[in-house]
Amino acid sequence: AQSVAQPEDQVNVAEGNPLTVKCTYSVSGNPYLFWYVQYPNRGLQFLLKYITGDNLVKGSYGFEAEFNKSQTSFHLKKPSALVSDSALYFCAVRDEDTGGFKTIFGAGTRLFVKA
Amino acid sequence: GAVVSQHPSWVICKSGTSVKIECRSLDFQATTMFWYRQFPKQSLMLMATSNEGSKATYEQGVEKDKFLINHASLTLSTLTVTSAHPEDSSFYICSARRQGDNYGYTFGSGTRLTVV
């Protein structure tokens, strides 16, 4: 069965510093990996995805993520954090083998960027 | 492009009544729509997958008679919470898969349901 783990409930970072939000996954086939951001009482906004190709994926708002097959990780990164990046971040995975297009979400990591 | 409208954004209802939540794809045809439930400070839990013109597929533990899903057209899916109880209070989010697109799903803005 597919699963996603976000080991940190919360990440604190100072504005201007680099940030990393961690994600590891488990699937039986090839993974489709996603990052989403959620602001209070709002739906999810898509940030980026990895389907195939370059392991380094660039997405919205200056975010990027690196797919590491050997470590089954897909950590979200940004070189310089902004206060406005403070939100709830979800990593998600879809297993190519499921055939049902179901997306499984991690528990979420709350990012606090301090001015 | 790829906008999903979810309505209402919030609703308060009395115990025992039913509530309908709509999820519309505004500028694309959605072959498949997904319904999620999110408890405070928790992740999204997939409730069911609905395909246009067919019965929804419910995840284990989700009562299909309580959470009625209808996907009558390629642009509209509805979730009806029947005989709502306070424990049904939650944030419900839909997402839609564009016809022919296996990767890009678009999410609605969510519905906050409070049952009193």
Side-chain angles (χ1 to χ4, degrees):
Chain A
Q2 59 198 53
S3 65
V4 182
Q6 291 181 244
E8 304 152 315
D9 290 337
Q10 184 171 308
V11 169
N12 297 313
V13 66
E15 188 174 34
N17 283 1
L19 69 88
T20 299
V21 183
K22 295 180 181 176
C23 172
T24 58
Y25 65 90
S26 174
V27 298
S28 55
N30 290 321
Y32 297 158
L33 295 156
F34 306 82
W35 276 101
Y36 293 89
V37 60
Q38 185 181 35
Y39 295 96
N41 292 311
R42 302 296 298 275
L44 271 66
Q45 294 179 32
F46 170 79
L47 283 179
L48 51 80
K49 67 178 184 282
Y50 171 83
I51 305 298
T52 186
D54 279 344
N55 289 343
L56 183 64
V57 178
K58 293 189 184 296
S60 307
Y61 312 119
F63 284 94
E64 59 187 32
E66 185 163 13
F67 170 62
N68 188 316
K69 188 172 183 177
S70 62
Q71 296 184 6
T72 61
S73 67
F74 190 57
H75 301 330
L76 181 70
K77 299 183 180 185
K78 186 172 181 179
S80 178
L82 299 172
V83 172
S84 57
D85 292 331
S86 300
L88 186 57
Y89 290 81
F90 290 102
C91 181
V93 68
R94 196 175 313 145
D95 189 339
E96 182 191 45
D97 283 354
T98 62
F101 309 109
K102 289 197 299 187
T103 303
I104 303 301
F105 287 84
T109 299
R110 191 164 296 280
L111 173 66
F112 285 103
V113 181
K114 196 179 212 180
Chain B
V3 177
V4 171
S5 172
Q6 190 172 338
H7 180 79
S9 55
W10 61 271
V11 57
I12 301 173
C13 70
K14 292 184 178 180
S15 284
T17 61
S18 296
V19 174
K20 180 184 284 188
I21 301 170
E22 292 187 349
C23 182
R24 291 182 185 273
S25 56
L26 298 185
D27 52 0
F28 66 99
Q29 292 187 325
T31 315
T32 308
M33 288 191 175
F34 305 87
W35 287 95
Y36 292 86
R37 182 173 180 177
Q38 185 181 29
F39 291 101
K41 299 184 180 180
Q42 292 190 29
S43 188
L44 282 73
M45 301 302 297
L46 180 65
M47 298 174 67
T49 302
S50 75
N51 291 296
E52 184 265 338
S54 62
K55 287 184 180 180
T57 303
Y58 289 82
E59 295 300 300
Q60 195 171 7
V62 178
E63 298 175 60
K64 61 181 180 182
D65 294 331
K66 180 164 190 61
F67 298 100
L68 301 179
I69 292 172
N70 184 281
H71 192 163
S73 78
L74 283 171
T75 58
L76 174 64
S77 176
T78 60
L79 166 67
T80 301
V81 183
T82 63
S83 187
H85 288 99
E87 57 265 30
D88 298 325
S89 299
S90 191
F91 194 58
Y92 293 87
I93 305 176
C94 70
S95 76
R97 179 176 77 93
R98 186 198 299 257
Q99 190 174 35
D101 184 351
N102 291 344
Y103 311 127
Y105 294 8
T106 304
F107 284 80
S109 55
T111 298
R112 169 77 55 199
L113 170 64
T114 302
V115 184
V116 298

